Amino acid sequence: MNVRCFYGGELCSEFLSYLRSALLSNSVIPLYVIASTRTSLIPGISLAGANPELTLLTPTLDVEYLLMGRVLSMDLIPTTPEGIPTPALITRACLNLVGLKGLVVNAGVFKDPKVPHVVLPSKCVGGRIDTEYALPKGTSERLFNEAKLLGSSMGRYFKLVVIGESMAGGTTTALSIMSALGFNAWGRVSSSAPNNPLKLKEEVVKKALSRLRGNESVFEINDLVGDPLHISIAGLAVGALKVGAKVLLGGGTQMCAVLAILNRLGITGSNSLAIGTTSWLVKFTPTIKDLVSDILPTVPIIYADLSFSNSRFEGLRKYEVGYVKEGVGAGASAILALAKGFDVEEVVKSIEDEYERVIKSVK
Amino acid sequence: MNVRCFYGGELCSEFLSYLRSALLSNSVIPLYVIASTRTSLIPGISLAGANPELTLLTPTLDVEYLLMGRVLSMDLIPTTPEGIPTPALITRACLNLVGLKGLVVNAGVFKDPKVPHVVLPSKCVGGRIDTEYALPKGTSERLFNEAKLLGSSMGRYFKLVVIGESMAGGTTTALSIMSALGFNAWGRVSSSAPNNPLKLKEEVVKKALSRLRGNESVFEINDLVGDPLHISIAGLAVGALKVGAKVLLGGGTQMCAVLAILNRLGITGSNSLAIGTTSWLVKFTPTIKDLVSDILPTVPIIYADLSFSNSRFEGLRKYEVGYVKEGVGAGASAILALAKGFDVEEVVKSIEDEYERVIKSVK
């Protein structure tokens, strides 16, 4: 059914059969966590926005578009500087196919979206980690606990909690979090650009890490060099797992930062946790396998084997040469559509139809 | 099982059997909508707070206590001036029995609660309706549409959406809304006080109504003389009903203002909508029956037949002489517990145990 295993063997198929049964019993909730980090303002670090300033707004525009089919806070849909559309396009088309509605969780976005969304009370825009603290002291622990409470509510109601994210600059802060927690992530994180600015990311992260003394807790580390997003996703996951739900982390190498946090909190998520991503992510960033096997080796990686090679839209064909790759839970949403029984052609067609609708609506 | 029909005959038992099947399939979500109206600052109008200023905070404290078991934004639990505890005590105890977690929806509260909650982007504290507009122009329609979107998400996931509320001053603005929409509600609304200050409410509402020209839409009327709460509840209900869920409005005569809005929007909610309340509400404000039969006569009223007459706590026994009566979905939550199979003694004991825990924890 074109949901494939990239890492984990048997664990992939076990997770997938659970996912299918959760879909059948209408017991799947997709959450989309949004936040901003001023790290995305560093020139050249993020393509998730037409220019660095706009990267702060991308999460807001992503979820407005996701829920409403159009952006409310500006007059465009989020694109890269070359005009390649946000992966939220894939997410929206796939959720529509499956008949699911996402719930947005605001962990600290620069501008609140104009759609109903869940607020974590300690939400806070993240600092630019090369020059300032990521978060005010104590924020990470509060965000984690607030998200955990929400995750446990969701986990009571749903068998499967799917968590996607949108935050520009996220692979850089993910690199910072994994490194600070003692994992080798150098050269292993992905990017929304075909040419991953790995050197720049490493320079930024090394400046951030120089702030550490080496005796900090997970939460203190995240206050110093992390961001509001990954710690909140970790909290959601822990809350949901605690009450017996399973969790699909929808994203690329950023989700390995979540695994790193879980590891350091003593949570393995055995048989209850998986990463769901795209074919483009595993093709262009196969290092995700190394990250997972170093951090939480019992977590399988599954992916939706979509291809835009034959798409009539150039903006979508660009995904095939390494632009965007993943984001806003695109891979996980496509996995849901494929697992529900739609074939690849149907899924791609619904994405193309949605793209066409969007292009026409902004003209 | 001590869930009784106060109005509606057959419609009550049909709704109840649906409610039980929704409970059995774990497909019930309780939403608690909170908002503030400066109408509650009018001296003598509301007992939902130890003094008029505190009435603005009551919804915030109610839901913090509801989700966390303790208030985070102050050092007390919400009480009347005499120290009678918030009905959120009943709600919390009953949800715990049933194993449900509530989701808080912020439609415009004076102080944001320190627990995760859903925000309606157009949220706005309501004005004091005797002297100022209730809401800035256009707010009611936006709140309604935002709530409708959320309601339709919830209605896709859950067979039954239960909606409770907390807003001091709510019976006064409910009177205003019903009157402005052309229904006779004079002398028919309830109160958290045993001596309902009906005269004062009528004076306030008459001042508000003098602002109307008579050619306004429902939304314009609510902007002029309503509040942020009832229009949002109406939106949630419409959204959930639209996608096939049923809705239990958990509250007293305030919910009749929601019915009035639904009526004027052309929605009857036949076989899909009910009011769920307490024995104290129907005992002390039987006029709720007249309101419903005038406004949307196909909506049944069910209530939880609890009694605190023999309680060892004076604060609870006061409910039996007409204090508080209802709020924060207390009646609907007790209905869920009773429908789940707990008997009255078990429900009352769990409320008393919770009360004891709270009293001890604040000492």
Side-chain angles (χ1 to χ4, degrees):
Chain A
M1 61 169 186
N2 287 86
V3 179
R4 305 200 189 284
C5 183
F6 186 61
Y7 169 79
E10 272 299 296
L11 292 168
C12 288
S13 36
E14 280 167 28
F15 197 92
L16 255 173
S17 85
Y18 180 89
L19 182 152
R20 273 195 299 266
S21 80
L23 270 176
L24 278 175
S25 53
N26 191 24
S27 196
V28 177
I29 180 92
L31 306 179
Y32 297 95
V33 188
I34 53 172
S36 304
T37 165
R38 283 189 290 273
T39 308
S40 72
L41 293 174
I42 300 170
I45 211 126
S46 174
L47 291 193
N51 64 52
E53 264 61 45
L54 284 179
T55 61
L56 286 181
L57 293 181
T58 296
T60 303
L61 309 186
D62 270 344
V63 296
E64 288 179 353
Y65 160 71
L66 179 63
L67 294 194
M68 302 302 289
R70 65 194 170 92
V71 163
L72 307 175
S73 292
M74 286 184 75
D75 206 16
L76 46 79
I77 77 153
T79 61
T80 67
E82 284 93 347
I84 302 165
T86 169
L89 190 83
I90 299 172
T91 308
R92 180 172 163 86
C94 291
L95 291 188
N96 281 349
L97 273 183
V98 181
L100 292 176
K101 279 279 170 189
L103 192 61
V104 172
V105 180
N106 181 353
V109 83
F110 184 71
K111 187 177 189 317
D112 286 348
K114 293 185 177 170
V115 289
H117 60 276
V118 182
V119 160
L120 302 181
S122 299
K123 77 188 164 77
C124 182
V125 171
R128 182 176 151 162
I129 60 168
D130 59 342
T131 58
E132 56 183 344
Y133 288 173
L135 293 166
K137 206 174 166 179
T139 305
S140 295
E141 187 163 9
R142 285 198 300 276
L143 278 175
F144 177 86
N145 284 323
E146 291 160 5
K148 186 176 161 191
L149 183 71
L150 179 64
S152 72
S153 290
M154 293 297 132
R156 267 167 225 266
Y157 287 116
F158 299 96
K159 289 180 185 158
L160 180 66
V161 178
V162 179
I163 312 178
E165 58 71 38
S166 176
M167 182 182 77
T171 54
T172 303
T173 54
L175 173 62
S176 182
I177 292 166
M178 288 187 276
S179 304
L181 294 177
F183 298 102
N184 173 20
W186 303 112
R188 291 171 159 186
V189 292
S190 191
S191 166
S192 54
N195 297 312
N196 191 344
L198 279 173
K199 262 237 161 79
L200 176 57
K201 289 180 185 177
E202 291 186 16
E203 280 167 30
V204 168
V205 169
K206 280 183 175 152
K207 283 183 195 158
L209 297 182
S210 69
R211 217 174 284 136
L212 297 175
R213 297 179 168 212
N215 58 348
E216 296 91 349
S217 73
V218 176
F219 299 121
E220 288 166 338
I221 285 173
N222 195 66
D223 284 346
L224 289 168
V225 306
D227 64 67
L229 183 90
H230 296 95
I231 195 77
S232 300
I233 296 176
L236 285 170
V238 170
L241 292 170
K242 204 187 61 169
V243 296
K246 300 201 181 195
V247 173
L248 180 62
L249 297 172
T253 49
Q254 285 190 235
M255 289 303 173
C256 299
V258 176
L259 299 188
I261 294 167
L262 296 181
N263 175 312
R264 291 298 184 238
L265 293 173
I267 286 145
T268 64
S270 271
N271 295 316
S272 299
L273 190 59
I275 287 179
T277 190
T278 64
S279 49
W280 309 294
L281 191 288
V282 302
K283 177 173 165 192
F284 295 104
T285 318
T287 46
I288 189 172
K289 193 184 280 190
D290 308 316
L291 285 172
V292 171
S293 80
D294 281 2
I295 297 173
L296 271 190
T298 57
V299 172
I301 305 171
I302 55 181
Y303 68 99
D305 200 5
L306 298 187
S307 167
F308 292 153
S309 299
N310 301 318
S311 175
R312 59 198 153 112
F313 297 110
E314 196 193 343
L316 294 179
R317 287 199 306 271
K318 292 271 191 180
Y319 276 67
E320 294 297 330
V321 294
Y323 284 91
V324 185
K325 300 185 187 78
E326 171 61 289
V328 203
S333 311
I335 288 169
L336 293 176
L338 294 168
K340 180 98 178 184
F342 295 97
D343 61 31
V344 169
E345 290 67 35
E346 288 171 301
V347 173
V348 170
K349 183 178 183 309
S350 90
I351 294 165
E352 290 189 315
D353 290 350
E354 173 64 10
Y355 190 39
E356 188 162 32
R357 186 190 67 75
V358 166
I359 293 170
K360 282 187 179 153
S361 73
V362 293
K363 264 177 191 161
Chain B
M1 60 169 188
N2 288 87
V3 179
R4 304 200 190 283
C5 183
F6 186 62
Y7 170 80
E10 272 298 296
L11 292 168
C12 288
S13 34
E14 280 167 27
F15 197 93
L16 255 173
S17 85
Y18 180 88
L19 182 152
R20 272 195 300 267
S21 80
L23 270 176
L24 277 174
S25 53
N26 191 24
S27 197
V28 177
I29 181 91
L31 305 180
Y32 298 95
V33 188
I34 53 172
S36 303
T37 165
R38 285 188 290 273
T39 308
S40 72
L41 292 174
I42 300 169
I45 211 128
S46 174
L47 292 192
N51 65 52
E53 264 62 43
L54 284 179
T55 61
L56 286 181
L57 293 181
T58 296
T60 302
L61 309 185
D62 270 344
V63 297
E64 289 179 353
Y65 160 73
L66 179 63
L67 294 194
M68 302 301 288
R70 65 196 170 91
V71 163
L72 308 175
S73 292
M74 286 185 76
D75 206 17
L76 47 78
I77 76 153
T79 61
T80 67
E82 284 95 345
I84 303 165
T86 168
L89 190 84
I90 299 172
T91 308
R92 180 173 163 85
C94 291
L95 291 188
N96 281 348
L97 272 183
V98 181
L100 292 177
K101 280 279 169 188
L103 191 61
V104 172
V105 180
N106 181 353
V109 83
F110 184 72
K111 186 177 188 317
D112 286 348
K114 293 185 176 169
V115 289
H117 60 275
V118 182
V119 161
L120 302 180
S122 300
K123 77 188 164 77
C124 182
V125 170
R128 183 177 150 162
I129 59 167
D130 58 343
T131 58
E132 56 183 345
Y133 288 172
L135 292 167
K137 204 175 166 179
T139 304
S140 295
E141 186 163 9
R142 285 198 301 275
L143 279 175
F144 178 86
N145 285 322
E146 291 160 4
K148 187 176 160 191
L149 183 70
L150 178 65
S152 72
S153 290
M154 294 296 133
R156 267 167 223 265
Y157 287 116
F158 299 96
K159 289 179 186 158
L160 180 66
V161 177
V162 179
I163 311 177
E165 58 71 38
S166 177
M167 182 182 78
T171 53
T172 303
T173 54
L175 173 61
S176 181
I177 292 166
M178 288 186 276
S179 305
L181 294 176
F183 298 102
N184 173 20
W186 303 112
R188 290 171 160 187
V189 293
S190 191
S191 166
S192 55
N195 298 311
N196 192 344
L198 279 173
K199 263 237 162 79
L200 176 57
K201 289 179 185 177
E202 292 186 15
E203 280 167 29
V204 167
V205 169
K206 280 182 176 152
K207 283 183 195 159
L209 297 182
S210 69
R211 217 174 285 135
L212 297 174
R213 298 178 166 212
N215 57 350
E216 296 91 349
S217 73
V218 177
F219 298 121
E220 288 166 338
I221 285 173
N222 195 66
D223 284 345
L224 289 169
V225 304
D227 63 68
L229 183 90
H230 296 95
I231 195 78
S232 300
I233 296 175
L236 285 170
V238 170
L241 292 170
K242 203 188 59 168
V243 296
K246 299 201 180 195
V247 173
L248 180 63
L249 297 171
T253 49
Q254 286 190 236
M255 290 303 173
C256 299
V258 175
L259 298 188
I261 294 167
L262 296 181
N263 175 313
R264 289 299 183 238
L265 293 173
I267 287 145
T268 64
S270 271
N271 295 316
S272 300
L273 189 58
I275 287 179
T277 191
T278 65
S279 50
W280 309 294
L281 191 288
V282 301
K283 179 173 165 192
F284 295 105
T285 318
T287 46
I288 189 171
K289 193 184 282 190
D290 308 316
L291 286 172
V292 171
S293 81
D294 281 1
I295 297 173
L296 271 190
T298 58
V299 172
I301 305 171
I302 56 180
Y303 68 99
D305 199 5
L306 298 187
S307 168
F308 293 152
S309 300
N310 302 318
S311 175
R312 57 197 154 112
F313 296 109
E314 196 193 343
L316 294 179
R317 286 199 306 273
K318 292 271 191 181
Y319 276 69
E320 295 296 331
V321 294
Y323 285 90
V324 185
K325 300 186 188 75
E326 171 62 291
V328 202
S333 312
I335 288 169
L336 293 176
L338 294 168
K340 180 98 178 185
F342 295 97
D343 61 31
V344 170
E345 291 66 35
E346 289 170 302
V347 172
V348 171
K349 182 176 183 309
S350 90
I351 295 165
E352 291 189 313
D353 290 350
E354 173 64 10
Y355 189 39
E356 187 161 32
R357 186 189 67 74
V358 167
I359 293 170
K360 282 188 178 154
S361 72
V362 293
K363 266 178 190 162

